[in-house]
Amino acid sequence: MSGVVSGLLVVRAGALTTVQDLGRPGYAHLGVPRSGALDVGAHVLANRLLGNPPDAATLETTLDGVGLRASAPVTVVVTGAPCAVRVDGRPVAWGAPVPLRAGAELEVGAAESGLRGYVAVRGGFAVAPVLGSRSTDLLSGLGPPVLSAGALLPVGLPGGDPVPGVDAVGVPGPPAELVLPLGPGPRADWFEPDSVARLLRAPYRVSARSNRIGLRTEGGPALVRRRAGELPSEGMVLGAVQVPPDGLPVVFLADHPVTGGYPVVGVVAPGPALDAAAQARPGVTVRFVRGR
């Protein structure tokens, strides 16, 4: 994006709204988390609907949406968690490009299901990049701050691709049950075999303590160790399923730390399953199944 053509003023910031793109992979050796959009599919779809590149920055909202006012004509789209979308109080399409005139107010409502919405603008949000990414990282503090009312978000120049000719897009809704394919983990041998077998049979629930760092579970059987002691800190990857002393699995998401000392029983590969984890509300059933 070679310049800034307009901006969007934050009228209502919502519970937790951050700027996200595809993150900062490749800096773990420097202690920098990857960050980036939790629901990568919804983020990429929002950009595709506007003719943006996949790594253009969007806004990630949490549960109760966001309110924005355009300083100049722009085109926006909302994806992710289904919600009501209004411009100057009038209903407009969710999941489709919506033009805003200068001065128009976009209201992205509360999620009707799921948890996180994505607001894209043609040209992308042109906040200053840090280490090649515009993502807000809640763990390290890198990137732009969490949105607050009164902030002005610059919008970049549109690229060469036109806005695709679509009226709306159909996407699957957030799952009623979260199914996570669990590939082999480097420390599965730290747990009793029958305990790991129960992990793959018994249901858990999404804990209210979950956040962008990790999806915490509750309500299922605690994993029982067969080895005592603790590991020295070792590298962690996106989707690693770490088991803290309480025995309840934690699935690492985009803002996860780059190292950790609790054993990793398995790994959920990036893709649709982790995207679904980004939309799983507290109380949703979680099942781990055998993956690759």
Side-chain angles (χ1 to χ4, degrees):
M1 296 163 191
S2 57
V4 173
V5 293
S6 59
L8 287 165
L9 178 72
V10 180
V11 177
R12 183 179 66 82
L16 176 64
T17 304
T18 58
V19 179
Q20 299 295 338
D21 54 21
L22 296 181
R24 299 181 181 85
Y27 291 98
H29 64 295
L30 300 177
V32 177
R34 63 179 295 134
S35 65
L38 288 193
D39 188 340
V40 176
H43 163 87
V44 170
L45 173 62
N47 279 320
R48 180 163 58 87
L49 289 170
L50 294 174
N52 290 339
D55 62 349
T58 65
L59 300 183
E60 180 182 275
T61 68
T62 307
L63 201 58
D64 70 343
V66 70
L68 305 167
R69 181 186 301 132
S71 66
V74 293
T75 303
V76 298
V77 70
V78 181
T79 63
C83 64
V85 183
R86 291 180 170 83
V87 174
D88 293 336
R90 297 188 301 275
V92 295
W94 174 93
V98 174
L100 301 181
R101 60 173 178 77
E105 291 198 8
L106 172 73
E107 176 64 22
V108 179
E112 296 167 1
S113 60
L115 196 59
R116 293 178 171 91
Y118 292 84
V119 183
V121 61
R122 180 155 165 79
F125 290 97
V127 298
V130 177
L131 294 178
S133 170
R134 293 180 165 87
S135 288
T136 300
D137 182 347
L138 298 182
L139 184 64
S140 71
L142 292 176
V146 173
L147 260 64
S148 59
L152 183 63
L153 300 169
V155 175
L157 290 169
D161 293 335
V163 175
V166 298
D167 295 320
V169 62
V171 294
E177 180 178 83
L178 180 62
V179 179
L180 298 177
L182 191 66
R187 304 299 176 186
D189 61 346
W190 275 56
F191 302 94
E192 295 290 350
D194 61 340
S195 185
V196 176
R198 284 195 299 273
L199 170 68
L200 296 172
R201 291 197 306 265
Y204 292 79
R205 296 189 307 271
V206 176
S207 167
R209 297 184 298 135
S210 301
N211 53 28
R212 279 186 49 86
I213 295 170
L215 183 145
R216 294 181 176 271
T217 63
E218 62 185 16
L223 273 74
V224 178
R225 289 194 187 184
R226 65 190 301 184
R227 296 181 58 174
E230 295 298 338
L231 286 162
S233 287
E234 55 187 0
M236 292 290 144
V237 299
L238 179 66
V241 180
Q242 195 180 59
V243 183
D246 65 5
L248 296 174
V250 178
V251 184
F252 273 173
L253 302 179
D255 282 358
H256 72 84
V258 298
T259 61
Y262 298 137
V264 172
V265 68
V267 178
V268 179
L274 278 188
D275 287 354
Q279 299 295 355
R281 291 189 179 191
V284 166
T285 298
V286 182
R287 291 188 183 273
F288 295 96
V289 299
R290 195 173 301 279
R292 297 181 182 181

Coordinates of all heavy atoms in Angstrom, one line a residue, residues 12 44 60 91 136 161 228 253 256 274-275:
R12 N -17.2 3.4 18.5 CA -17.4 2.4 19.6 C -16.4 1.3 19.5 O -16.4 0.6 18.4 CB -18.9 1.8 19.6 CG -19.2 0.9 20.8 CD -20.6 0.4 20.7 NE -20.8 -0.5 19.5 CZ -20.5 -1.8 19.4 NH1 -20.0 -2.4 20.5 NH2 -20.8 -2.5 18.3
V44 N -9.2 -14.0 5.6 CA -8.8 -14.1 4.2 C -10.0 -13.8 3.3 O -10.0 -13.2 2.3 CB -8.1 -15.4 3.9 CG1 -8.0 -15.6 2.4 CG2 -6.8 -15.5 4.6
E60 N -10.3 -7.4 14.1 CA -10.9 -8.6 14.7 C -11.7 -8.1 15.9 O -11.1 -7.5 16.9 CB -9.8 -9.5 15.1 CG -10.3 -10.8 15.8 CD -9.2 -11.7 16.2 OE1 -8.7 -12.5 15.4 OE2 -8.8 -11.6 17.4
P91 N -30.2 -1.6 8.1 CA -29.6 -2.9 7.9 C -28.9 -3.0 6.5 O -29.5 -2.5 5.5 CB -30.8 -3.9 8.0 CG -31.8 -3.1 8.7 CD -31.7 -1.7 8.3
T136 N -1.8 -6.7 16.1 CA -1.7 -6.4 17.6 C -1.4 -7.8 18.3 O -2.1 -8.7 18.1 CB -3.0 -5.9 18.1 OG1 -3.3 -4.7 17.4 CG2 -3.0 -5.6 19.6
D161 N -6.7 -5.2 -8.0 CA -7.8 -6.1 -8.2 C -9.2 -5.4 -7.9 O -9.3 -4.7 -6.9 CB -7.7 -7.3 -7.3 CG -6.5 -8.2 -7.6 OD1 -6.1 -8.2 -8.8 OD2 -6.0 -8.9 -6.7
A228 N 7.5 -37.7 36.6 CA 7.5 -36.5 37.5 C 8.5 -35.5 37.0 O 9.2 -35.7 36.0 CB 8.0 -37.0 38.9
L253 N -3.1 -20.7 20.7 CA -3.6 -20.0 19.5 C -2.6 -18.9 19.1 O -1.4 -19.0 19.6 CB -5.0 -19.3 19.9 CG -6.0 -20.3 20.3 CD1 -7.3 -19.6 20.7 CD2 -6.3 -21.4 19.2
H256 N 0.3 -17.2 21.3 CA 0.9 -18.1 22.3 C 2.4 -17.7 22.5 O 3.0 -17.2 21.6 CB 0.8 -19.5 21.8 CG 1.7 -19.9 20.6 ND1 3.0 -20.2 20.7 CD2 1.4 -19.9 19.3 CE1 3.5 -20.4 19.5 NE2 2.5 -20.2 18.6
L274 N -8.6 -25.0 13.8 CA -8.1 -23.9 14.6 C -9.0 -22.7 14.3 O -9.2 -21.9 15.3 CB -6.7 -23.6 14.4 CG -5.7 -24.5 15.2 CD1 -4.2 -23.9 15.0 CD2 -6.0 -24.6 16.6
D275 N -9.4 -22.5 13.1 CA -10.3 -21.4 12.8 C -11.6 -21.5 13.6 O -12.1 -20.6 14.2 CB -10.7 -21.4 11.3 CG -9.5 -20.9 10.4 OD1 -8.5 -20.5 11.0 OD2 -9.7 -20.9 9.2

